[in-house]
C-alpha cells in the first residue's frame, strides 16, 4: 500500500509529537536538566508538540473528524444550530491554522533565542543566562499576538482549507508575515555562527575544550535547523514545484524528531532518558548527576555562562584583582586624612580612570601568568570616599593591596569561583577573607554611586553598630571583547564554624531553600525559618541593640526608595567577632543586612503589578513591594518572628 502526501505528513507529525513529548517529559522529571540554555530547548519541544498536534489535524482534512464527528460540532452547538456543517468546519479549520501559525512562530522564536543567548553570553559570560528568560517569553508573546491577529484577519477572506491548496499555504505562512520571523531567526543564526566561529578561531589554543565543544555543537544545531526551515520556507515562495513543496512540509513536521535526536546525543540527557524507561531503570543503577557531569559534559545542560566562567576564570579573575589592586594603589597616592566635613559633592561624584597593561604594570605576579587580555580600563567611583570607609574599619592601603594581590590569591585564581547568588551575581573571595568582589548591574551601580552613597557614608560614620554590609569600592572594568563588568568591593561577611545561614526578607512567596541535600547549610529562606519554628533567646539589651540597628538601617534604605534587601543570619558553633550567644542553645548568631541596591523604579513597579495579578490578595507575601510597606514588613518580621520582641514595646523603645 503506497503512502500519499497526507499519510506521510501524518506519520512524520506523529513521530515528532511523540519525540517532543518525550523530551518535555524528561525535562520535567529531572531538575538537573533545568539549566540554561537547556531550558530554551525544552520550551521548543513544548511548542513542537503544539505544532505537530495541529499539523496532524491539517493532514486529517483539517479536522479531527472520526466517523463524521469532530470539533466542528462544538461550534454548531454554540450557535444553536444556525451554522451548518461546512461553516462550522471552516471555523474549526481557521482556528486550527491560527494555532498552528502560533506554534510555528514560537518554535522559530525560541530557536532564534538560542542564537541570541549565545551572542549575549559571549559578550557577558559572568551574567546569569536564566535571568533573560522572562524577556524571551515577553518577546515570543508579542510575536504570537501579532501572528494570530493577522492570521484570523486574513482567514476571514477565504474559506478554502485543503492541505494541497495554494491559498492554504498562503494562510499557513500568514501571507508572508511568518517569513519575517524566519528572517529574524536566520539573521541571528548567521551572526551567532560568525561570532562563535571568530571566538573559536581567534585564539584557538586558549579556548578550553568545553567551550570549543559547545561552539561546535551550536554550529551543528543551527546548520541543521536552518536547512529544515529553509525547506519549509520554499513552500511559500516556490509554489507548484511538486516534490519540493512536499519535502518542505515533511521536513517541518519532522523538526520535533530532529530536536529529540540532538538532545539524546548529549550523554546526561541520554542517561536520563534510559532511566525513565522501566527496562533500563531495573537493569542499571542510577548514577548521581554530578558523576554524569564529570564523566560526560552535557553541553546543552551545563549553562554556557558556567562553561565560559570556567574557561576565563583565571584570566578574568587576574584582570579583576590586578585592576582593583592598581586602582587602589594609584588612588592612595593622592589620598589624605579627611573628616566627614571635608567631603564635597565633587568627591562623591569623582570618577578616576586607570588604564592597566603589562607595560605599566608594577605588580609582581610571582610566577603567575598575566592576563591574556592586552589591556583593560578600570573606572573607580568616589575613590576618596571609599578610602575613608576602609580606613574607618582599620583597613589601610597596605592591607588592601596585600588582600587583592594575585600572588596571594592562587587558590582563588585556579579554582572554580565560589558560585552565584540568587541574583546571579558572581562572587570572588580573597584568600585572607578580607574582601568579597561581587558583580552587580549597571543600574545597581548607579543607585549606589548617584543616589545612596553620600547618605550611606554619613550613616556608617554616625552609626558604628550599623548592620549594613560595608562597601569598600565601586568599579567598572572594561575588557576588550567582553561587556563592561560592574564590580563591588565588599566586606567579607563569611564566618568560620557555620552550622547554617539564612537570607530573610519577611516575604514567603517562593522563599524556600532550593536544595534538600543533607550537607546543605544555606541559604535557607523565610519559609524554611518559619517552618522550623526557631526561637532565638538573647539578652534583652543585646536584642534591643540589634533591633535598633535594623530599624535605623532599614529606615535609611526606605527614605532612598530602596527595597528587596535582606538579613543575612549565620548560625555558628563558636563565639566569634560580632556574634551573639543564645541563652538556651550552644549557638551564636551573626546578623548583617545585604543586597540593598535595588531601587523601587519603574521596572520594579511593573514587576509589582504583575505579581498583583498573579497573587491577588497574597501580594503581601511577595518580595517586591513599595519601600514603605517593605520597611514595615521587614522590621515586623525581624522583631516578632526573628527576635521575638513585641512590636508595641519596641515602638516605645525606639
Amino acid at each position: 500500500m503506497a503512502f500519499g502526501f497526507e499519510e506521510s505528513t501524518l506519520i512524520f507529525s506523529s513521530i515528532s509529537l511523540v519525540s517532543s513529548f518525550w523530551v518535555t517529559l524528561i525535562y520535567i522529571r529531572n531538575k538537573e536538566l533545568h539549566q540554561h540554555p537547556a531550558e530554551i530547548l525544552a520550551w521548543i519541544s513544548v511548542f513542537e508538540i503544539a505544532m505537530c498536534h495541529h499539523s496532524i489535524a491539517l493532514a486529517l482534512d483539517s479536522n479531527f473528524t472520526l466517523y463524521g464527528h469532530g470539533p466542528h460540532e462544538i461550534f454548531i452547538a454554540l450557535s444553536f444550530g444556525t451554522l451548518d456543517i461546512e461553516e462550522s468546519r471552516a471555523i474549526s479549520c481557521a482556528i486550527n491554522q491560527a494555532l498552528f501559525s502560533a506554534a510555528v512562530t514560537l518554535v522559530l522564536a525560541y530557536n532564534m533565542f538560542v542564537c541570541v543567548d549565545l551572542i549575549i553570553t559571549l559578550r557577558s559570560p559572568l551574567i546569569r543566562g536564566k535571568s533573560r528568560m522572562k524577556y524571551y517569553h515577553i518577546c515570543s508573546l508579542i510575536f504570537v499576538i501579532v501572528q494570530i491577529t493577522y492570521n484570523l484577519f486574513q482567514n476571514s477572506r477565504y474559506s478554502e482549507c485543503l492541505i494541497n491548496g495554494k491559498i492554504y499555504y498562503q494562510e499557513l505562512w500568514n501571507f508572508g508575515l511568518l517569513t519575517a520571523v524566519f528572517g529574524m531567526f536566520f539573521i541571528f543564526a548567521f551572526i551567532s555562527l560568525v561570532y562563535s566561529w571568530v571566538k573559536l578561531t581567534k585564539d584557538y589554543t586558549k579556548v578550553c575544550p568545553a567551550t570549543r565543544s559547545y561552539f561546535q555543537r551550536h554550529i551543528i544545531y543551527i546548520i541543521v535547523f536552518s536547512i529544515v526551515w529553509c525547506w519549509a520556507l520554499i513552500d511559500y515562495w516556490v509554489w507548484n514545484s511538486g516534490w519540493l513543496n512536499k519535502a518542505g512540509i515533511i521536513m517541518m513536521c519532522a523538526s520535533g524528531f530532529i530536536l529529540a535526536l540532538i538532545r539524546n546525543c548529549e550523554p546526561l540527557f541520554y542517561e536520563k532518558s534510559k532511566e525513565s524507561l522501566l527496562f533500563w531503570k531495573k537493569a542499571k543503577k542510577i548514577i548521581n548527576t554530578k558523576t554524569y557531569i564529570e564523566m560526560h559534559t552535557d553541553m546543552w545542560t551545563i549553562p554556557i555562562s558556567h562553561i565560559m566562567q570556567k574557561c576565563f576564570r583565571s584570566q578574568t579573575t587576574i584582570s579583576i584583582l590586578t585592576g582593583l589592586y592598581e586602582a587602589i594603589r594609584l588612588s592612595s597616592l593622592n589620598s589624605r586624612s579627611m573628616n566627614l566635613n571635608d567631603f564635597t559633592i565633587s568627591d562623591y561624584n569623582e570618577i578616576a580612570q586607570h588604564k592597566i597593561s603589562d607595560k605599566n604594570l608594577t605588580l609582581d605576579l610571582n610566577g603567575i601568568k598575566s592576563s591574556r587580555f592586552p589591556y583593560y580600563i578600570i573606572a573607580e567611583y568616589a575613590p576618596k570616599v571609599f578610602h575613608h570607609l576602609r580606613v574607618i574599619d582599620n583597613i589601610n592601603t597596605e592591607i588592601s593591596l596585600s588582600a587583592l594581590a594575585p600572588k596571594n590569591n592562587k587558590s582563588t585564581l585556579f579554582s572554580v569561583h565560589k558560585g552565584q547568588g540568587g541574583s546571579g551575581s558572581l562572587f570572588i573571595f580573597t584568600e585572607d577573607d578580607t574582601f568579597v568582589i561581587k558583580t552587580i548591574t549597571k543600574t545597581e551601580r548607579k543607585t549606589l554611586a548617584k543616589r545612596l552613597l553620600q547618605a550611606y557614608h554619613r550613616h556608617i560614620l554616625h552609626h558604628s553598630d550599623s548592620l549594613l554590609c560595608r562597601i569598600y569600592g565601586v568599579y567598572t572594568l572594561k575588557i576588550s571583547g567582553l561587556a563592561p563588568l560592574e564590580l563591588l568591593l565588599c566586606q567579607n561577611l563569611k564566618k568560620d564554624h557555620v552550622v547554617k545561614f539564612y537570607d530573610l526578607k519577611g516575604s514567603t512567596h517562593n522563599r524556600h531553600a532550593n536544595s534538600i541535600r543533607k550537607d546543605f547549610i544555606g541559604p535557607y529562606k523565610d519559609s524554611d525559618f518559619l517552618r522550623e519554628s526557631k526561637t532565638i533567646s538573647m539578652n534583652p539589651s543585646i536584642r534591643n541593640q540589634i533591633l535598633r540597628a535594623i530599624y535605623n538601617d532599614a529606615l535609611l534604605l526606605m527614605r532612598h526608595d530602596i527595597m528587596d534587601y535582606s538579613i543575612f543570619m549565620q548560625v555558628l558553633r563558636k563565639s566569634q567577632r560580632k556574634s551573639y550567644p543564645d541563652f538556651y542553645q550552644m549557638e551564636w548568631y551573626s546578623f548583617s543586612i545585604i543586597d540593598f541596591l535595588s531601587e523601587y523604579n519603574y521596572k520594579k513597579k511593573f514587576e509589582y503589578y504583575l505579581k498583583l495579578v498573579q497573587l491577588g490578595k497574597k501580594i503581601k507575601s511577595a518580595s517586591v513591594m513599595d519601600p514603605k510597606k517593605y520597611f514595615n514588613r521587614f522590621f515586623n518580621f525581624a522583631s516578632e518572628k526573628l527576635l521575638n520582641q513585641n512590636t508595641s514595646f519596641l515602638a516605645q523603645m525606639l
Side-chain angles (χ1 to χ4, degrees), residues 12 49 134 139 160 177 194 199 216 229 249 274 296 336 349 428 448 471 519 553 562 629:
F12 279 102
I49 293 174
K134 59 184 177 183
C139 289
E160 182 179 359
L177 191 59
V194 173
K199 287 282 185 181
Q216 290 169 349
W229 286 94
I249 281 198
K274 289 198 299 184
H296 310 288
R336 58 185 177 85
N349 295 330
I428 301 173
L448 175 60
I471 299 174
D519 60 343
D553 292 341
I562 305 296
K629 293 179 180 178

Side-chain angles (χ1 to χ4, degrees), residues 617-629:
K617 294 181 179 179
K618 295 181 180 179
I619 186 62
K620 293 181 179 180
S621 65
S623 294
V624 61
M625 188 173 286
D626 171 86
K628 186 174 181 179
K629 293 179 180 178

Side-chain angles (χ1 to χ4, degrees), residues 31-45:
K31 290 185 178 181
E32 300 93 332
L33 301 176
H34 294 189
Q35 297 287 348
H36 192 87
E39 185 178 8
I40 302 179
L41 300 183
W43 278 104
I44 293 174
S45 296

Side-chain angles (χ1 to χ4, degrees), residues 257-494:
F257 175 65
I258 296 171
L259 175 63
L261 287 178
I262 292 175
R263 288 297 286 126
N264 276 283
C265 286
E266 300 297 337
L268 179 59
F269 191 91
Y270 178 65
E271 295 292 345
K272 291 298 179 183
S273 295
K274 289 198 299 184
E275 285 177 12
S276 299
L277 298 172
L278 291 177
F279 172 79
W280 287 100
K281 198 168 185 179
K282 291 179 180 178
K284 184 180 173 95
K285 287 184 179 180
I286 298 176
I287 301 176
N288 162 318
T289 303
K290 185 178 180 181
T291 307
Y292 278 143
I293 294 178
E294 290 173 353
M295 293 170 55
H296 310 288
T297 304
D298 187 340
M299 291 305 157
W300 291 116
T301 302
I302 300 176
I304 179 62
S305 57
H306 287 193
I307 296 172
M308 295 292 291
Q309 287 171 22
K310 186 176 181 180
C311 292
F312 290 141
R313 67 178 183 267
S314 60
Q315 300 294 335
T316 307
T317 305
I318 288 175
S319 300
I320 291 173
L321 291 174
T322 305
L324 268 59
Y325 179 99
E326 288 294 314
I328 290 176
R329 184 187 68 81
L330 294 171
S331 297
S332 66
L333 299 177
N334 300 321
S335 64
R336 58 185 177 85
S337 179
M338 299 177 70
N339 296 318
L340 180 59
N341 295 331
D342 297 330
F343 288 93
T344 63
I345 296 298
S346 60
D347 292 323
Y348 291 102
N349 295 330
E350 181 184 358
I351 302 175
Q353 296 268 6
H354 309 288
K355 184 175 181 180
I356 313 297
S357 66
D358 290 338
K359 294 180 180 179
N360 64 3
L361 191 63
T362 61
L363 179 61
D364 177 20
L365 296 178
N366 195 23
I368 299 174
K369 291 183 179 180
S370 62
S371 168
R372 72 180 178 87
F373 305 115
Y375 70 91
Y376 36 96
I377 297 172
I378 186 162
E380 184 180 13
Y381 300 89
K384 294 186 181 69
V385 176
F386 287 112
H387 174 78
H388 191 227
L389 286 169
R390 293 193 296 271
V391 170
I392 292 170
D393 285 349
N394 298 316
I395 302 175
N396 58 32
T397 302
E398 289 72 21
I399 294 174
S400 300
L401 296 181
S402 176
L404 295 170
K407 68 179 181 180
N408 297 332
N409 290 279
K410 289 185 179 181
S411 63
T412 300
L413 293 174
F414 302 113
S415 62
V416 180
H417 291 312
K418 295 292 184 181
Q420 291 183 317
S423 62
S425 299
L426 185 73
F427 293 88
I428 301 173
F429 294 80
T430 59
E431 287 185 29
D432 65 354
D433 291 333
T434 301
F435 298 125
V436 175
I437 303 167
K438 175 186 176 184
T439 57
I440 58 174
T441 65
K442 186 177 181 180
T443 302
E444 289 174 328
R445 188 256 296 166
K446 287 183 175 180
T447 298
L448 175 60
K450 295 184 177 181
R451 187 179 187 90
L452 185 62
L453 181 56
Q454 185 173 359
Y456 172 82
H457 183 207
R458 294 177 179 275
H459 182 82
I460 297 299
L461 290 177
H462 292 149
H463 299 85
S464 58
D465 60 344
S466 172
L467 299 180
L468 292 175
C469 176
R470 300 301 192 264
I471 299 174
Y472 298 133
V474 183
Y475 308 87
T476 299
L477 181 65
K478 298 177 182 178
I479 300 175
S480 177
L482 297 178
L485 298 175
E486 305 292 347
L487 304 171
L488 202 66
L489 184 65
C490 302
Q491 165 193 15
N492 188 353
L493 299 172
K494 183 182 67 174

Side-chain angles (χ1 to χ4, degrees), residues 8 34 131 135 169 192 295 377 393 417 478 586 594 603:
S8 300
H34 294 189
S131 61
Y135 300 107
Y169 281 99
S192 69
M295 293 170 55
I377 297 172
D393 285 349
H417 291 312
K478 298 177 182 178
M586 292 299 293
I594 60 173
K603 288 185 180 179

Side-chain angles (χ1 to χ4, degrees), residues 509-510 606-616 619 622 624:
H509 178 66
N510 288 337
F606 180 70
E607 182 183 347
Y608 172 79
Y609 288 115
L610 284 180
K611 292 288 184 182
L612 182 62
V613 173
Q614 178 187 355
L615 301 176
I619 186 62
V624 61

Side-chain angles (χ1 to χ4, degrees), residues 3 38 42 198 473:
F3 286 101
V198 170

